[in-house]
Amino acid sequence: RPATNIYYEGRGLICLGWGRGDMATQLYCDGGDGRHTHRHQAPLSLLLFAGGREVLPDLGYIGDHPANAWIKTTASHNTVIVDESPATPTGNTRLMGFIDEGSFRFLDVKTEMPIGDGRDTDCIQFRRAIVLLPKPDGLPVFIDIFDVVGGRLHDYIVRANDPDGHFLLTGLTPTDRQPLYQGFTHSDPTSFRTAGAVTTPFTACWGQTDRLWTHVLTPSDEVFTFKAPAWRNREEVFVDPHRGWETLVLRYTSGPSRFVVVYDVGGEKPWIERVELKTLYPKVRLAIHTDSECIEWIIDNGECHSG
């Protein structure tokens, strides 16, 4: 079947992609807990399938095992966790921009979560904008912009499905760090490492044969990693209790946050040579450099175009 391009308003789920069958590219941006179905604490989390593989994974189903609490919690998803606490149920998800045909795909979506028990009128506000475009080999590159308002600590979380167990932070030297996100679930994440504050762009890469390159363009008050439990079914909990995905976290510690990250899904060699962030506010303007061209993109509220 072909890839789907559709917005399910009731669920807050957005689907973007191209191609057909096993080699299709399909991205999902999940509105998270819609209060009625799919009760995960995962506002605006991403999943991605491309090149016949799961690139940005979602966890499976392990029934009534106590570790199911980890599968549902915010820190186990590709989203932002605020103040180190699981998200409250979302409400008022709004699609601000959507392009589902032509040379690229685009979404711009906002949602909000009540603070505390929900009786307070203040909310945490999330906005995620994605530009998804095909490379010459058909695999995707995507630009991710994530804005957060509310709370004190904002942790942008991403982890890839990496069967090779190979993860590299270029130019950074992490050291051991005290664990975070503890006590919410049956099985807490482990192996925390920190590179401290990083003020210049850097690259992370998962995999050895089928790789995912990640270009981080915005500074972070702290960059750290951890091993996230990665069971896909209840049998794996017992057969491989230490299975995990290497997870990258970008932390902001004050004020509204804007994360800008560019992903390159490929084989053994990257398509992108470097990415240049030209402006961060009010519009994001960046240039993607390859060995044959330079593509400039401008992303604003609800719209985007190449320069």
Side-chain angles (χ1 to χ4, degrees):
R1 65 181 184 181
T4 299
N5 290 276
I6 192 171
Y7 172 50
Y8 294 98
E9 184 175 0
R11 164 89 178 270
L13 175 65
I14 309 167
C15 311
L16 292 178
W18 56 75
R20 180 180 294 271
D22 290 343
M23 300 307 291
T25 290
Q26 184 73 74
L27 180 139
Y28 302 101
C29 183
D30 190 346
D33 189 337
R35 299 177 179 266
H36 303 293
T37 60
H38 196 72
R39 303 302 304 276
H40 283 215
Q41 301 160 315
L44 305 191
S45 181
L46 289 187
L47 297 83
L48 176 66
F49 299 84
R53 64 190 178 102
E54 184 183 37
V55 180
L56 298 182
D58 192 19
L59 288 162
Y61 177 70
I62 58 176
D64 60 354
H65 191 283
N68 200 44
W70 168 256
I71 286 176
K72 293 182 177 182
T73 197
T74 309
S76 73
H77 292 81
N78 295 310
T79 186
V80 170
I81 183 169
V82 176
D83 294 338
E84 301 177 7
S85 299
T88 55
T90 57
N92 194 28
T93 298
R94 293 165 289 159
L95 186 65
M96 311 300 292
F98 187 65
I99 297 174
D100 61 352
E101 59 183 7
S103 60
F104 65 93
R105 306 287 185 265
F106 174 68
L107 67 85
D108 193 339
V109 62
K110 293 182 178 180
T111 194
E112 57 187 30
M113 295 142 284
I115 293 176
D117 59 11
R119 290 178 291 184
D120 198 317
T121 57
D122 291 336
C123 288
I124 296 168
Q125 300 172 18
F126 280 3
R127 175 251 182 162
R128 192 163 212 166
I130 301 285
V131 181
L132 183 71
L133 57 146
K135 300 187 295 183
D137 62 4
L139 290 171
V141 159
F142 70 93
I143 303 164
D144 184 24
I145 300 168
F146 206 127
D147 294 338
V148 186
V149 178
R152 185 175 60 89
L153 298 176
H154 301 162
D155 293 348
Y156 175 103
I157 295 177
V158 60
R159 74 277 196 282
N161 187 12
D162 178 17
D164 299 325
H166 185 270
F167 176 73
L168 178 66
L169 283 174
T170 302
L172 304 182
T173 307
T175 58
D176 289 342
R177 187 200 196 284
Q178 288 189 336
L180 297 172
Y181 319 133
Q182 305 291 295
F184 300 122
T185 70
H186 174 269
S187 300
D188 294 323
T190 61
S191 304
F192 280 79
R193 306 269 291 170
T194 181
V198 178
T199 58
T200 57
F202 70 93
T203 303
C205 179
W206 286 263
Q208 287 181 305
T209 53
D210 295 317
R211 296 185 177 185
L212 173 67
W213 289 271
T214 304
H215 300 264
V216 178
L217 303 183
T218 42
S220 300
D221 295 313
E222 184 182 5
V223 172
F224 60 92
T225 62
F226 65 87
K227 282 280 189 181
W231 307 300
R232 313 311 295 273
N233 55 59
R234 71 173 72 198
E235 288 77 17
E236 287 185 356
V237 178
F238 304 100
V239 173
D240 192 1
H242 301 294
R243 181 183 180 186
W245 282 312
E246 197 71 46
T247 302
L248 173 67
V249 184
L250 314 175
R251 168 168 281 194
Y252 283 175
T253 59
S254 62
S257 301
R258 170 164 285 180
F259 302 91
V260 182
V261 184
V262 178
Y263 296 85
D264 182 355
V265 180
E268 294 184 0
K269 296 182 179 180
W271 182 64
I272 295 175
E273 289 190 342
R274 65 185 178 92
V275 185
E276 178 185 5
L277 180 62
K278 295 190 171 183
T279 61
L280 184 59
Y281 291 103
K283 302 178 182 180
V284 171
R285 181 168 163 258
L286 57 83
I288 296 175
H289 296 264
T290 73
D291 63 357
S292 60
E293 60 182 340
C294 174
I295 310 168
E296 187 169 297
W297 287 90
I298 300 172
I299 301 101
D300 199 3
N301 290 326
E303 61 183 34
C304 76
H305 62 271
S306 57

Short mmCIF file of all heavy atoms in Angstrom, two decimals, residues 7 10 16 19 93 96 114 194 196 205 209 241 246 254 256-257 270 272:
data_model
loop_
_atom_site.label_atom_id
_atom_site.label_comp_id
_atom_site.label_asym_id
_atom_site.label_seq_id
_atom_site.Cartn_x
_atom_site.Cartn_y
_atom_site.Cartn_z
N TYR A 7 -4.32 13.96 8.29
CA TYR A 7 -4.39 14.44 9.66
C TYR A 7 -5.66 13.89 10.30
O TYR A 7 -6.75 14.15 9.81
CB TYR A 7 -4.41 15.98 9.70
CG TYR A 7 -4.66 16.57 11.07
CD1 TYR A 7 -3.94 16.16 12.18
CD2 TYR A 7 -5.63 17.55 11.25
CE1 TYR A 7 -4.16 16.71 13.43
CE2 TYR A 7 -5.86 18.12 12.50
CZ TYR A 7 -5.13 17.69 13.59
OH TYR A 7 -5.37 18.22 14.82
N GLY A 10 -9.27 14.00 15.52
CA GLY A 10 -9.71 13.52 16.83
C GLY A 10 -8.59 12.96 17.66
O GLY A 10 -8.62 13.03 18.90
N LEU A 16 2.75 11.68 7.26
CA LEU A 16 3.37 12.23 6.07
C LEU A 16 4.27 11.18 5.43
O LEU A 16 4.91 10.40 6.15
CB LEU A 16 4.24 13.45 6.41
CG LEU A 16 3.57 14.73 6.89
CD1 LEU A 16 4.62 15.78 7.20
CD2 LEU A 16 2.59 15.27 5.87
N GLY A 19 5.98 7.07 -1.52
CA GLY A 19 6.39 5.73 -1.91
C GLY A 19 5.35 4.69 -1.56
O GLY A 19 4.26 4.98 -1.04
N THR A 93 -5.22 20.36 20.57
CA THR A 93 -4.21 20.19 19.52
C THR A 93 -4.70 20.85 18.24
O THR A 93 -5.82 20.62 17.80
CB THR A 93 -3.92 18.70 19.28
OG1 THR A 93 -3.40 18.12 20.49
CG2 THR A 93 -2.91 18.50 18.17
N MET A 96 -1.48 23.74 12.32
CA MET A 96 -1.27 25.10 11.83
C MET A 96 -0.83 25.13 10.36
O MET A 96 -1.02 26.12 9.67
CB MET A 96 -0.21 25.80 12.69
CG MET A 96 -0.45 25.69 14.18
SD MET A 96 -2.02 26.40 14.70
CE MET A 96 -1.71 28.13 14.40
N PRO A 114 -2.14 21.01 30.67
CA PRO A 114 -2.29 21.73 31.93
C PRO A 114 -1.11 21.47 32.85
O PRO A 114 -0.50 20.40 32.81
CB PRO A 114 -3.59 21.16 32.52
CG PRO A 114 -4.27 20.47 31.39
CD PRO A 114 -3.21 20.03 30.44
N THR A 194 27.25 12.63 30.26
CA THR A 194 27.04 14.03 29.93
C THR A 194 28.25 14.63 29.23
O THR A 194 29.40 14.30 29.55
CB THR A 194 26.72 14.86 31.19
OG1 THR A 194 26.49 16.23 30.82
CG2 THR A 194 27.85 14.79 32.20
N GLY A 196 28.14 18.04 29.04
CA GLY A 196 28.07 19.40 29.55
C GLY A 196 27.39 20.34 28.57
O GLY A 196 26.67 19.92 27.66
N CYS A 205 25.49 10.21 15.47
CA CYS A 205 25.19 9.19 14.46
C CYS A 205 24.89 7.87 15.14
O CYS A 205 25.64 7.43 16.03
CB CYS A 205 26.36 9.04 13.50
SG CYS A 205 26.10 7.79 12.23
N THR A 209 25.89 0.35 9.33
CA THR A 209 25.54 0.09 7.92
C THR A 209 24.36 0.95 7.49
O THR A 209 24.43 1.67 6.50
CB THR A 209 25.24 -1.40 7.73
OG1 THR A 209 24.24 -1.83 8.67
CG2 THR A 209 26.51 -2.23 7.93
N PRO A 241 16.70 -8.70 29.28
CA PRO A 241 16.26 -7.65 30.21
C PRO A 241 17.06 -6.37 30.13
O PRO A 241 16.61 -5.33 30.61
CB PRO A 241 16.42 -8.31 31.58
CG PRO A 241 17.43 -9.38 31.38
CD PRO A 241 17.22 -9.88 29.98
N GLU A 246 20.32 3.71 22.66
CA GLU A 246 21.05 4.90 23.06
C GLU A 246 20.20 6.13 22.75
O GLU A 246 19.70 6.30 21.65
CB GLU A 246 22.37 4.99 22.33
CG GLU A 246 23.36 5.96 22.97
CD GLU A 246 23.93 5.43 24.28
OE1 GLU A 246 24.33 4.25 24.32
OE2 GLU A 246 23.97 6.20 25.25
N SER A 254 16.18 27.44 30.99
CA SER A 254 15.44 28.66 31.35
C SER A 254 14.74 29.22 30.14
O SER A 254 15.27 29.17 29.02
CB SER A 254 16.38 29.70 31.96
OG SER A 254 17.36 30.09 31.03
N PRO A 256 11.53 30.20 27.34
CA PRO A 256 11.03 29.46 26.17
C PRO A 256 12.19 28.87 25.39
O PRO A 256 13.27 29.46 25.30
CB PRO A 256 10.28 30.54 25.37
CG PRO A 256 9.96 31.61 26.35
CD PRO A 256 11.09 31.61 27.34
N SER A 257 11.98 27.69 24.82
CA SER A 257 13.03 26.97 24.12
C SER A 257 12.67 26.78 22.65
O SER A 257 11.49 26.65 22.30
CB SER A 257 13.25 25.58 24.75
OG SER A 257 13.62 25.69 26.10
N PRO A 270 26.81 9.74 4.58
CA PRO A 270 25.78 10.78 4.68
C PRO A 270 25.59 11.51 3.35
O PRO A 270 26.51 11.59 2.53
CB PRO A 270 26.32 11.72 5.75
CG PRO A 270 27.81 11.59 5.62
CD PRO A 270 28.07 10.15 5.25
N ILE A 272 24.22 14.76 3.60
CA ILE A 272 24.49 16.12 4.05
C ILE A 272 25.95 16.24 4.46
O ILE A 272 26.45 15.43 5.25
CB ILE A 272 23.57 16.50 5.23
CG1 ILE A 272 22.11 16.53 4.78
CG2 ILE A 272 23.97 17.85 5.81
CD1 ILE A 272 21.13 16.77 5.91
#
